[in-house]
Amino acid sequence: MKKLVPFALIWAFFCSIVMVGQASAKTENVATILQVTKDAMVYVDASTESNVSGHVTNGSFVLAAPLNEEWVHIQMSQLEGYVEATALTVVTPEKTLVAKKGGTNLFTYPSPNAQKAGQLYENSMLFVYGTAPGGWSYVQYGHQYGYAATNTLKKPTAIKKQVDAPNGAMIHLTASPSGEVLGTLANKTIVQQYTIVAGWAYVEAGEQKGYIKASELTDLTIIDNKVYNKGVAVAKGAKKRVALTFDDGPDAKVTPQILAILKKHNVKATFFMVGKNASSNAKIVEQVYKEGHEIGNHTWNHPKLTSLSKASVKQEVDRTSNAIYDAIGQYPTVFRPPYGATNDQVRSVITVPSILWSIDTLDWKHRNADKILTYVKASVKDGSIILMHDIHQTTANGLENVILYLQKQGYECVTVSDILH
């Protein structure tokens, strides 16, 4: 397991755990686990002048709550007290499953003769903090902590699923209806499912993770991988629609300006993001998502995909999808090939609609705020998909006039996925 550096970070780490817990509902009740980095005395009070109640050995694990930068209050089976902070470090857990048929036992110490701390069911999701000699792993399941035999565990494999619960799916800490409730996953949320145990699925979606009822998940619905350059016209009498789309961002300066304009006029849009920009501007990706806009994949490096091998196309697309997932806990729902260059090989890699455009504002070429509106006026109609770029200041400068014009002409600005139906 990966260790975090110097103990000076432990206090900050602990505080961040509490803050995240308060934001994501009740996770502050889950203890912080630290690893002992050298043999150390355990004192009754936070002072080397107090009585010694025991000792901890290098490599062991403790449940802990930092008292200050010098002392940590620790708790082990039959041992509780204070340890000097320099003897401890934070460890990052790894996910694992109980692989043994019938489950496995949890022990207080790394020995089959130790006191049992609980029973872990087959396929339960655990978090491993480290290993101990003799083939043992220190693990967590819910509020249970202890040692499990390493040979009873295996690494999990995740599959994409989608929440199918109109009122959302309640997340539990453990695979039980009586397990602590951590929050709710909204309907249609795309999740990573790692396991199912006793009718409960362990899933993760961004920072939200835990068990939900397996019956509240469905296979991920793929609309199609066809190519579109316009949306579906509305029924007679319904409000006309256009889709505003922005390529090549996010940009640290321009994208926030565009978001502010969209918010001011209550307009939703679709952002086709270049992966390397999404990775370096993850907070802006998150802002785009939280403000209700759609996020699309626009490859990692913006190459002409028709000139690449199938493996290279897949790498460009997958790397970008993963960067977007890392930022918002959701994969992109649409794709736009750079330069509009696509063919059968490219489409064979794509599992979502490929979106071209019906109006190219050429904002990338002329860099003139007024000309953007000129191109829109010349060609806009019901179902138009309008191409712009959120990396040019002139695009941000001209956007408000475009929106005002469209709204005055009776158009509603919607996302690409909305305009395809």
Side-chain angles (χ1 to χ4, degrees), residues 161-165 168-176 183-186 189 191 193 195-204 209-218:
K161 290 281 187 174
Q162 190 170 35
V163 175
D164 184 18
M170 197 170 292
I171 312 168
H172 294 257
L173 180 63
T174 55
S176 167
T184 303
L185 285 171
T189 298
V191 303
Q193 175 189 293
T195 185
I196 294 180
V197 54
W200 291 84
Y202 179 85
V203 300
E204 294 187 354
K209 57 190 68 176
Y211 290 88
I212 67 173
K213 293 178 182 177
S215 59
E216 294 179 324
L217 289 172
T218 187

Side-chain angles (χ1 to χ4, degrees), residues 335-413:
F335 172 75
R336 174 169 281 165
Y339 315 106
T342 188
N343 57 22
D344 289 342
Q345 177 178 275
V346 172
R347 287 194 296 276
S348 70
V349 174
I350 309 303
T351 58
V352 294
S354 291
I355 310 301
L356 301 184
W357 52 87
S358 52
I359 299 177
D360 186 351
T361 63
L362 298 178
D363 60 336
W364 59 272
K365 185 177 182 179
H366 55 66
R367 309 290 179 89
N368 183 308
D370 295 332
K371 283 188 177 181
I372 297 174
L373 179 56
T374 300
Y375 281 97
V376 170
K377 284 183 175 180
S379 304
V380 69
K381 60 183 177 181
D382 186 24
S384 289
I385 298 176
I386 302 172
L387 170 62
M388 292 177 282
H389 297 77
D390 58 322
I391 59 172
H392 304 307
Q393 183 61 52
T394 47
T395 300
N397 295 345
L399 178 60
E400 187 163 36
N401 284 339
V402 170
I403 293 173
L404 290 172
Y405 171 78
L406 291 171
Q407 291 180 335
K408 186 175 181 180
Q409 298 301 311
Y411 289 99
E412 180 184 8
C413 297

Side-chain angles (χ1 to χ4, degrees), residues 267-284:
V267 165
K268 302 304 178 189
T270 302
F271 290 78
F272 289 97
M273 297 185 176
V274 170
K276 61 183 181 181
N277 292 338
S279 180
S280 60
N281 294 288
K283 290 295 183 183
I284 298 177

Side-chain angles (χ1 to χ4, degrees), residues 256-267:
Q257 296 178 49
I258 287 176
L259 288 173
I261 295 167
L262 297 175
K263 187 174 185 179
K264 176 181 177 181
H265 296 284
N266 194 28
V267 165

